[in-house]
Amino acid sequence: MLTAAEAQQIAEKFLLAKYFRSKINFRASQLITKDARQIYQMQGKITMKSGSLLDRFFVDKSSNTYDFKIEVDAQQGRVINYELT
């Protein structure tokens, strides 16, 4: 079974693969049982880098920050579900 730190590393690697050059901050993590399996549920904020140089001057910096929720299977070490809001 994964530790909380290992699950967080898997989640971070997954998010960075999808959102290259982003900054990820975890706020909360808990181990729960869902559908007869143990799952780490994690929450935090992800700040995405702007795509162009012009966007950095004209787009509000907070517009690139999103809350996220992600679930990692504690036995198999894979991401089950995630969402950005």
Side-chain angles (χ1 to χ4, degrees):
M1 186 158 114
L2 296 175
T3 65
E6 290 170 329
Q8 186 171 320
Q9 287 176 346
I10 290 168
E12 185 171 6
K13 185 177 179 180
F14 176 86
L15 290 170
L16 288 174
K18 293 202 171 291
Y19 306 103
F20 180 69
R21 293 177 20 154
S22 295
K23 183 176 179 183
I24 298 169
N25 292 310
F26 289 91
R27 274 194 318 248
S29 177
Q30 65 182 21
L31 180 63
I32 65 163
T33 301
K34 182 178 177 182
D35 298 329
R37 9 179 220 191
Q38 292 192 312
I39 296 171
Y40 282 102
Q41 283 186 335
M42 293 167 268
Q43 298 177 11
K45 290 199 176 282
I46 183 168
T47 303
M48 298 179 195
K49 300 291 183 185
S50 177
S52 73
L53 290 174
L54 288 178
D55 285 348
R56 293 181 187 169
F57 294 110
F58 298 112
V59 176
D60 181 21
K61 299 218 184 291
S62 64
S63 66
N64 292 333
T65 300
Y66 302 92
D67 291 320
F68 70 85
K69 295 179 184 177
I70 190 165
E71 295 179 339
V72 176
D73 187 304
Q75 297 292 329
Q76 297 178 1
R78 62 181 178 87
V79 173
I80 298 169
N81 188 22
Y82 85 100
E83 70 178 69
L84 299 179
T85 55

